[in-house]
Amino acid sequence: MTSHDMGRGVLRPDVAATRLELRRHEPAPGLAPYVEFYWNPRWDLRDRPDHEQKVLAHPNVHLVFEEPEPLVYGVQRDVFHRVLHGRGQAFGVKFRPGAFRPFADGPVAALADRSVPAADVFGPAAREVSARILERDDLAEMAGLADAYLLDLLPRAAADPQVPQVAALVERITAGPQLFRVDELAADLGLPVRQLQRLFAEYVGASPKWVLRRARLHEVAARADEGADIDWARLAADLGYADQAHLTRDFTAAVGSPPGRYAAG
């Protein structure tokens, strides 16, 4: 694999590509309004040191079929850590931003920075499905099992016109960090700031300020991972930071090291 195969948000993707394989698969068409894609990391670190992977997570909820039990992960607002050892795999369902709300019992913000047993959300059958998926190697077969399971759950997810609207809104923010402030975003949408904040708490699970900030940090990390000479002051201005020092503080607080040091490896 190459570092580009890891996807935006995976920190040190060049190192990650030497420790694990990350496969993706599209969901069934009937699930496309809810599921962005399936992801399947696999690793074999037998006779090799454990690997700690860090991720700047996106504003998505994930259902992960893994050992010892499948879990639902809310939006992880801090850096997400996972230590890989031995040999194993997981199979994840990346819900579109806002699209987990029909499956939840309440606002998605209640799941922020938490993981809960999938059986608590979807019922005990989640454990059986997880075991059946993880015993397979063929990605298409794994995706087919996930498709069948989730399609059976769709009747619970009553049509909600807010779901595609929220997904499109977050996509607009994350596709390119052109909007920098919540009040600018609200004005652009013609919504009061408080209404926008409530919408994000209900459907996304993170505040609009966090989503805007995370989009900028993804861009900074992606530039740093490219390894080319970077004009940090120019990048700070392009991303709407007051100055380079503000960018440095923001990145350091999220990742744990200044962007220049991170870029140097």
Side-chain angles (χ1 to χ4, degrees):
M1 294 194 71
T2 68
S3 59
H4 294 291
D5 296 322
M6 291 291 109
R8 178 167 285 212
V10 174
L11 298 179
R12 306 290 184 201
D14 52 339
V15 176
T18 68
R19 303 296 195 275
L20 67 138
E21 177 187 13
L22 181 59
R23 305 187 296 178
R24 294 184 179 85
H25 199 285
E26 295 297 313
L31 291 169
Y34 300 94
V35 176
E36 191 168 330
F37 58 77
Y38 298 133
W39 50 277
N40 172 222
R42 307 193 300 174
W43 60 92
D44 189 348
L45 298 176
R46 292 173 295 181
D47 302 322
R48 300 180 68 184
D50 291 353
H51 172 65
E52 181 186 29
Q53 185 58 56
K54 299 181 179 180
V55 178
L56 275 175
H58 294 255
N60 302 76
V61 175
H62 295 259
L63 164 61
V64 183
F65 298 107
E66 60 183 323
E67 295 291 349
E69 71 170 328
L71 298 172
V72 171
Y73 290 84
V75 175
Q76 305 295 303
R77 292 175 295 186
D78 294 326
V79 172
F80 180 75
H81 299 252
R82 174 59 58 89
V83 176
L84 305 178
H85 61 274
R87 182 171 181 262
Q89 69 171 334
F91 185 90
V93 180
K94 184 179 182 181
F95 287 88
R96 295 187 183 280
F100 191 77
R101 178 63 185 89
F103 299 93
D105 291 331
V108 180
L111 288 170
D113 301 321
R114 298 176 57 216
S115 62
V116 299
D120 292 353
V121 180
F122 297 108
R127 297 190 182 96
E128 178 186 350
V129 173
S130 182
R132 291 173 60 204
I133 288 176
L134 295 178
E135 69 185 10
R136 286 166 167 76
D137 292 318
D138 184 273
L139 183 58
E141 290 183 8
M142 300 166 83
L145 289 170
D147 284 340
Y149 175 63
L150 292 172
L151 285 168
D152 281 343
L153 295 173
L154 277 186
R156 288 179 48 190
D160 183 342
Q162 294 275 46
V163 168
Q165 294 173 11
V166 172
L169 172 57
V170 176
E171 171 63 23
R172 180 180 172 189
I173 295 172
T174 57
Q178 305 300 321
L179 295 168
F180 309 126
R181 294 161 42 122
V182 175
D183 56 350
E184 292 174 344
L185 176 61
D188 193 59
L189 297 171
L191 295 174
V193 170
R194 290 290 181 87
Q195 183 178 340
L196 184 64
Q197 291 170 333
R198 288 195 297 268
L199 183 69
F200 271 60
E202 185 76 24
Y203 284 86
V204 179
S207 70
K209 180 178 180 179
W210 183 91
V211 176
L212 288 164
R213 177 172 177 259
R214 183 52 53 97
R216 293 196 293 182
L217 291 175
H218 278 156
E219 184 65 22
V220 176
R223 299 283 189 91
D225 285 323
E226 289 174 358
D229 291 336
I230 300 167
D231 184 337
W232 295 110
R234 174 69 178 273
L235 180 59
D238 289 345
L239 294 178
Y241 285 102
D243 50 35
Q244 181 180 339
H246 188 189
L247 180 152
T248 298
R249 288 195 300 271
D250 204 20
F251 189 87
T252 303
V255 176
S257 65
R261 186 184 305 166
Y262 175 87

